[in-house]
Amino acid sequence: MRSTRRVALLGAALLVLAVPAPTALGWGPEGHRLVGEIAARHLSSPAQARVAELLRDDRLADGSRSGRRTLADVANWADEIKDTDWGKRRGSWHYDDVPLCGSVGYAKYCRNGRCASAQIARQMEILGNERASPGQRNQALKWIVHLVGDIHQPLHAANHADRGGNRVQVSFFGERDNPPYGSLNLHAVWDAHLVRRMLADRQGERAWIAAPVTERQRAAWDAGSGSDWAAESHALARDLAYAALPVPVTCPGKIAGVVALDAAYYARAAPVVDAQLRKAGVRLAHVLNDTLGR
C-alpha cells in the first residue's frame, strides 16, 4: 500500500480532471452517492463516530482540505482519480472480470489480488489496522465505499469479451448520446442511465434512501463477502443484463449493431438496480460496523 503522501504528489491536476475516455465506472455518481447515503442510515453510533473522525481531515490530491464529511461525499472519489497515472494503475480494482461464457479460475481474472473483491478485503484490513496512518485508513475507507458499490453493478462482475458491455452499442429510449463519453453502450446504461431514469420517476433520492429494510432482508444481505457479492452480480449479469437484451446472446458470439433498449428492458432492469443499490448500502454499513464499530 503506497502512502497517502505519494498520492499527494499527483498534484493539483486532479482538481480539474480532463474529459475521461469511455471506460468502466461502476455506478455513476448518483448510484455511488445513493449507496453512501443508504449505508449512513444503517451505521452504528460507534461506526458513525469513527467515520466522522476519518473524514474530518479528508484531503484532495494537492493536500488541501476537501470539505467532504460523509460517505456519500466521498463515494465517487475512486472514479475521480481514475484517469491519473496512480488511478490507472488501480483500474482493475473496480471489477471482477468473470467471463460470461465458460469458467476461468479466480487467480486468472484477479491476478495478484487486482480485482474488486480482493481489494475490498485488502482495504478492510487497512481500515481496521490501528497501526496504519490516518491517511492510509482514510484512503482505505474511500476505496471500500466505492468498491462495495462497484461490485453490486452486475456488469462489473461479467465480461462477454466486450469489457463488461462497454463494446455493446445501444440506444436507451431512443437516445444514443452519452456525453462526455460519446455514444451509449450497455455498460453506461447500467452505470448511470437506469439510475437517472429511476430517480426521475421517483422524484429524487429521498424515497429510495428512506425505503425500509426488514430484519429478514438485513440478515440475508449481511451474509457473505466481496467474492460472494461478485458471484451474485455475475448471475444477474448473465440472467438479466445480457439475457433480457432483445437480441440473441450466444457463447461465444459478438453482439453487433446498435441494440434498442426500451420500456420492456427498463421494466425488467429497474427492480434489480433498486435491490442492488439497497443491498450495497446495507452491506457497506455492515462491514463498516464490524470494522469500526468496536
Side-chain angles (χ1 to χ4, degrees):
M1 180 71 184
R2 295 173 184 243
S3 71
T4 50
R5 185 172 181 274
R6 171 67 181 89
V7 179
L9 295 177
L10 289 170
L14 286 178
L15 296 177
V16 182
L17 295 176
V19 173
T23 188
L25 289 175
W27 305 113
E30 300 89 348
H32 279 295
R33 181 174 180 83
L34 280 166
V35 171
E37 292 275 16
I38 293 167
R41 291 176 60 89
H42 297 279
L43 287 181
S44 66
S45 294
Q48 287 176 3
R50 297 304 298 277
V51 166
E53 180 184 339
L54 286 168
L55 294 180
R56 184 174 295 119
D57 195 37
D58 190 61
R59 301 277 174 158
L60 296 173
D62 66 345
S64 63
R65 293 179 184 275
S66 73
R68 296 172 176 180
R69 297 291 182 267
T70 70
L71 297 180
D73 288 344
V74 299
N76 205 50
W77 167 81
D79 280 344
E80 294 170 0
I81 64 165
K82 70 182 178 58
D83 291 313
T84 67
D85 288 341
W86 187 85
K88 286 176 181 177
R89 291 197 295 272
R90 290 154 179 79
S92 63
W93 290 14
H94 293 256
Y95 50 83
D96 277 37
D97 223 357
V98 187
L100 194 71
C101 303
S103 63
V104 173
Y106 186 78
K108 185 167 184 178
Y109 67 77
C110 190
R111 267 191 200 93
N112 302 316
R114 299 183 64 80
C115 69
S117 59
Q119 283 304 316
I120 289 170
R122 173 61 181 142
Q123 300 304 317
M124 290 299 300
E125 290 178 4
I126 296 169
L127 182 63
N129 182 2
E130 297 286 349
R131 295 183 179 180
S133 71
Q136 288 174 322
R137 297 181 77 199
N138 164 277
Q139 193 177 99
L141 173 63
K142 292 187 288 190
W143 274 115
I144 293 162
V145 174
H146 189 86
L147 296 181
V148 170
D150 272 352
I151 206 64
H152 284 80
Q153 205 273 59
L155 293 181
H156 271 246
N159 183 23
H160 189 47
D162 57 10
R163 296 181 60 239
N166 270 287
R167 293 178 179 150
V168 180
Q169 292 296 299
V170 303
S171 63
F172 187 58
F173 287 88
E175 291 292 329
R176 283 286 292 128
D177 292 336
N178 184 37
Y181 302 105
S183 58
L184 193 58
N185 60 58
L186 182 62
H187 192 102
V189 166
W190 279 86
D191 270 356
H193 293 262
L194 287 165
V195 177
R196 289 171 188 165
R197 191 172 188 93
M198 292 171 72
L199 284 168
D201 289 347
R202 298 177 184 198
Q203 299 182 325
E205 296 180 356
R206 183 172 299 177
W208 209 327
I209 295 165
V213 175
T214 68
E215 287 307 312
R216 184 174 182 179
Q217 285 175 321
R218 189 189 306 279
W221 295 351
D222 282 352
S225 64
S227 293
D228 298 313
W229 306 336
E232 181 182 78
S233 290
H234 178 79
L236 290 170
R238 180 192 64 218
D239 299 339
L240 190 136
Y242 283 101
L245 292 174
V247 296
V249 178
T250 60
C251 289
K254 181 181 178 181
I255 301 172
V258 177
V259 181
L261 306 182
D262 56 16
Y265 190 87
Y266 176 66
R268 292 190 64 181
V272 172
V273 171
D274 179 272
Q276 288 301 99
L277 287 170
R278 294 176 68 211
K279 286 178 184 177
V282 171
R283 286 168 172 167
L284 173 59
H286 176 69
V287 297
L288 294 180
N289 287 339
D290 273 359
T291 305
L292 299 175
R294 292 177 279 201

